[in-house]
Amino acid sequence: MAEATKSFDIIFAGGGATACIIAGRLAVADPALKILVLEAGPHSKNKPDHEQPARFYPALARCGEAFTPHVAKANPKLDGRVASTVTGRCLGGGSNVNFMAYCRAAASDYDDWETVYGNKGWGSKSLIPLLRKAETYQGVSTNNTHGKAGPIKVSFAKADHNLANEWLGVTESFDQDRGQIDDVNALFIDGKTGKRSDTASAYIYPILDTHKNLDVQVRKRVVRVIFEGKRAVGVEYVDDEGDHAHALQSPSVAHASRLVVLCAGTFGSPAILERSGIGSTSILSKNDVQQIVDLPGVGEHLMDHYGIMPNYFAADYGDTLDDIWQGTEAEVKPFVDQWSQTGQGLLAHNGVDAGIRIRPTVDDLKKIGPSFSKRWNDYFANAPDKPIMLMMVVAGYMGPTPVVPRQKVFNTGFISACPISTGYTHISSGLNPYAVLDYDPCYMHEEADLHVMRWAYKHSREIARRMPAYRGELVASHPKFPEGSEAAAKAPNRPLPIDGPKIKYTEADDKAIDEYVKQMVSSTFHSAGTCAMKPRIQGGVIDDRLNVYGVEGLKVADMSIIPGNVTANTFNTAMAIGEKAAVIIAQELGIKGVPESD
């Protein structure tokens, strides 16, 4: 039997990274404001997979209840392969399951939101103060962009990162055409406790027992928004546990007297809009949903970063996470004991202690080829802070099958920072929130995206081959080059000197790399943009106050709103969106105590 209707001032549909920030800020600022957060997944508090940083990768590989898989369509540009993705499904969302890499977007990324898309107050001058407000930066910085008293902790590994040191040393010596930046790579890990720093533990759990105006309900999935005319007045939701078919027959209803905010993410928020009657005529008609507003941009313009993680064997002295990522619980126990007692050790790592944001030289642009010229000239050339590729060294094996016998491995991942190709996600059932989504990320639909990845493989491999710990390629995770090719992956092998010869690739080798990219490229779980904040005539879904076009009392605030991609990991941007949304809502509701900066 459905629960009786409950009334609140604000309802958050989804309890992910942004919802925790907004709800937490508002609950503290106005104790009289009745807030409901509905999260489809479980709680994340005191769970090793979330708290102990190094466990993120085994948890991701298992894809348990804290994740929602999204199965993509077969992609003809990937030789018919299916390149799917996952999203976080727990209180705190992606902030509780991600790689914990602290990587801010380029200032010009945010400035584009304001100048290109017309979103007043969403440029870097507005968002960086909010990011300062959100964080406690536990390191030394040479600039004033970092915060010292925010809920989110940002730290640096104190030890056990010799592979990262080698990687950075090689990039500085080998890549002398590119300079070093004055901001070092950091982690969303509390440097004192060694625990993951996420939005649920930073904004929600500390106040949940003391602020009775905040009601957080987990394992509750929102089906749709309820309207009276064109005004959102509540949501319909179901129990996420047990018999889903039975639950859908008797959904529960919660009433919102002031506002409904969708924070269900890049897949969840557009799906809720479409099930509620907001979307393109063709999608809603196909799924027998009565239309309230014709918004063709809902579910469109899906952006992602995709990458490849080629693996290399490491010397025995390498600080890798292989024993944690591939070990039994008995093998992991000594790391847990050290972490529990001191907050230190390899369990307090994510394995990604060094990264680079790379822009091509003139010579690199020639190697990438003419297919990339227009994209470079239109988007990157006049924005010197925008990288085309993110590269990092990961201290451990990442792959589909374990290395037997177990050996020390590292990989040099490369991630396309802003691909041209975009995709879509739409509902396939009018009222069933468990129906598989019609999802296609459209990876590599633009030839330039493939050519950039080919160049990145070559560049990252040259760096890896010069690291002193390099002991050869793990052949199965590299291209199948023609027999006799100079480029053939091999192991064992020895590192090259910095000025050693680069591999000379033939046309046949390039074709082998292209096939490799098609077979290996995968999502980095940075999906975004499906409820874009831009003019309605340009396919926008919300305005710069986060209001859904054509209705009242309904906002969206998560990574689905970004109008242009960010050339960085996305959690930092999700934090900016959450803090900005809290300010906007507080202003509109007349709530004091939610400032625009630290």
Side-chain angles (χ1 to χ4, degrees):
M1 179 180 294
E3 297 179 10
T5 301
K6 297 181 180 179
S7 294
F8 300 85
D9 294 308
I10 302 179
I11 296 175
F12 290 89
T18 55
C20 289
I21 295 174
I22 309 165
R25 290 291 191 193
L26 296 176
V28 171
D30 185 358
L33 192 71
K34 294 178 64 178
I35 300 169
L36 174 64
V37 178
L38 297 170
E39 165 55 39
H43 275 295
S44 51
K45 187 177 182 180
N46 296 328
K47 294 187 178 181
D49 278 352
H50 301 306
E51 284 194 336
Q52 298 172 5
R55 289 192 186 268
F56 84 92
Y57 182 62
L60 175 62
R62 290 195 305 273
C63 196
E65 68 170 354
F67 296 87
T68 297
H70 301 285
V71 181
K73 287 184 173 180
N75 189 337
K77 298 296 184 179
L78 303 183
D79 294 338
R81 190 168 67 89
V82 173
S84 299
T85 192
V86 299
T87 51
R89 179 181 167 273
C90 59
L91 194 67
S95 75
N96 277 87
V97 299
N98 63 17
F99 281 45
M100 295 157 286
Y102 178 88
C103 181
R104 279 191 182 172
S108 65
D109 293 339
Y110 296 146
D111 292 340
D112 287 347
W113 295 5
E114 188 164 49
T115 60
V116 176
Y117 299 103
N119 295 306
K120 184 179 179 181
W122 286 89
S124 62
K125 290 182 179 179
S126 299
L127 296 185
I128 289 176
L130 289 170
L131 289 171
R132 279 203 309 263
K133 172 185 170 184
E135 72 182 23
T136 294
Y137 195 79
Q138 297 174 324
V140 177
S141 176
T142 58
N143 60 59
N144 65 351
T145 66
H146 296 293
K148 291 296 181 183
I152 295 291
K153 306 300 188 291
V154 179
S155 69
F156 308 85
K158 296 176 181 177
D160 305 320
H161 47 62
N162 55 19
L163 293 176
N165 293 342
E166 289 188 7
W167 163 268
L168 289 177
V170 170
T171 58
E172 186 173 9
S173 300
F174 174 71
D175 239 346
Q176 294 186 3
D177 291 336
R178 300 176 177 89
Q180 303 285 309
I181 61 173
D182 63 357
D183 223 7
V184 295
N185 191 60
L187 313 170
F188 285 109
I189 297 172
D190 189 325
K192 296 179 180 179
T193 66
K195 294 181 179 181
R196 173 195 288 271
S197 190
D198 59 90
T199 63
S201 64
Y203 291 84
I204 295 296
Y205 288 128
I207 67 169
L208 199 51
D209 292 335
T210 57
H211 287 68
K212 300 304 180 182
N213 60 322
L214 176 60
D215 185 354
V216 175
Q217 296 189 29
V218 297
R219 302 186 190 278
K220 306 294 183 185
R221 184 176 293 270
V222 173
V223 178
R224 62 190 179 104
V225 178
I226 298 170
F227 289 91
E228 289 183 359
K230 290 292 183 74
R231 180 168 187 83
V233 296
V235 298
E236 191 176 87
Y237 65 97
V238 296
D239 242 327
D240 202 63
E241 293 185 288
D243 185 344
H244 292 161
H246 177 73
L248 288 170
Q249 294 175 6
S250 54
S252 300
V253 172
H255 182 263
S257 62
R258 306 181 79 174
L259 188 63
V260 174
V261 185
L262 303 189
C263 298
T266 296
F267 295 91
S269 289
I272 293 172
L273 286 177
E274 289 178 340
R275 290 195 296 268
S276 306
I278 300 173
S280 75
T281 301
S282 60
I283 296 296
L284 301 186
S285 176
K286 187 181 359 178
N287 290 283
D288 296 321
V289 177
Q290 183 174 352
Q291 189 173 63
I292 294 175
V293 181
D294 181 15
L295 274 187
V298 173
E300 293 293 315
H301 194 53
L302 189 152
M303 299 174 287
D304 196 0
H305 301 140
Y306 43 72
I308 298 177
M309 303 285 190
N311 290 284
Y312 301 85
F313 290 110
D316 290 340
Y317 67 79
D319 295 324
T320 76
L321 300 184
D322 292 298
D323 286 341
I324 296 175
W325 288 355
Q326 300 182 55
T328 63
E329 278 302 314
E331 291 174 303
V332 176
K333 187 177 184 303
F335 300 103
V336 175
D337 291 343
Q338 180 187 13
W339 177 84
S340 300
Q341 295 165 14
T342 68
Q344 302 299 316
L346 284 174
L347 200 67
H349 281 249
N350 68 344
V352 190
D353 291 309
I356 57 176
R357 307 185 196 198
I358 191 167
R359 286 170 62 85
T361 63
V362 173
D363 185 55
D364 290 329
L365 288 171
K366 291 178 182 177
K367 292 176 181 176
I368 294 171
S371 66
F372 185 63
S373 296
K374 186 177 189 307
R375 178 64 162 175
W376 171 257
N377 291 327
D378 290 349
Y379 191 73
F380 292 101
N382 295 320
D385 61 345
K386 275 183 169 65
I388 71 166
M389 192 66 57
L390 310 175
M391 293 185 184
M392 73 289 294
V393 61
V394 182
Y397 169 71
M398 286 185 165
T401 56
V403 177
V404 180
R406 191 184 308 160
Q407 299 180 59
K408 295 212 170 192
V409 173
F410 69 91
N411 72 72
T412 56
F414 53 95
I415 298 169
S416 185
C418 197
I420 306 172
S421 306
T422 60
Y424 60 84
T425 175
H426 296 292
I427 60 171
S428 64
S429 172
L431 287 177
N432 183 0
Y434 300 101
V436 174
L437 294 172
D438 179 17
Y439 161 51
D440 189 347
C442 299
Y443 294 163
M444 303 295 164
H445 280 222
E446 295 286 343
E447 187 179 38
D449 292 338
L450 177 63
H451 295 167
V452 169
M453 292 295 282
R454 179 205 296 165
W455 165 78
Y457 168 77
K458 295 176 182 179
H459 194 84
S460 69
R461 188 178 176 190
E462 293 295 351
I463 296 172
R465 294 168 70 230
R466 286 161 174 78
M467 290 172 60
Y470 165 85
R471 293 297 180 267
E473 290 85 4
L474 199 162
V475 175
S477 72
H478 287 263
K480 296 179 180 177
F481 292 105
E483 187 174 351
S485 169
E486 176 188 332
K490 58 180 73 73
N493 208 346
R494 304 296 296 179
L496 285 178
I498 294 295
D499 60 355
K502 296 180 182 179
I503 297 171
K504 295 179 180 178
Y505 293 91
T506 66
E507 185 176 339
D509 293 332
D510 283 351
K511 289 181 179 178
I513 297 174
D514 290 350
E515 287 305 309
Y516 164 77
V517 170
K518 293 174 185 178
Q519 293 303 313
M520 300 295 287
V521 71
S522 63
S523 172
T524 57
F525 322 114
H526 293 170
S527 303
T530 51
C531 297
M533 178 174 58
K534 57 185 179 181
R536 186 171 180 176
I537 196 171
Q538 295 177 18
V541 176
I542 63 170
D543 63 21
D544 57 18
R545 302 295 288 181
L546 306 177
N547 300 304
V548 176
Y549 290 122
V551 295
E552 297 177 352
L554 179 62
K555 295 181 186 287
V556 184
D558 53 36
M559 282 302 296
S560 73
I561 75 166
I562 70 172
N565 215 337
V566 291
T567 52
N569 298 72
T570 49
F571 174 39
N572 212 281
T573 295
M575 288 168 51
I577 292 169
E579 292 285 4
K580 180 70 174 180
V583 170
I584 289 172
I585 293 170
Q587 290 173 343
E588 293 182 354
L589 298 185
I591 298 170
K592 307 297 183 182
V594 185
E596 295 187 61
S597 69
D598 53 350

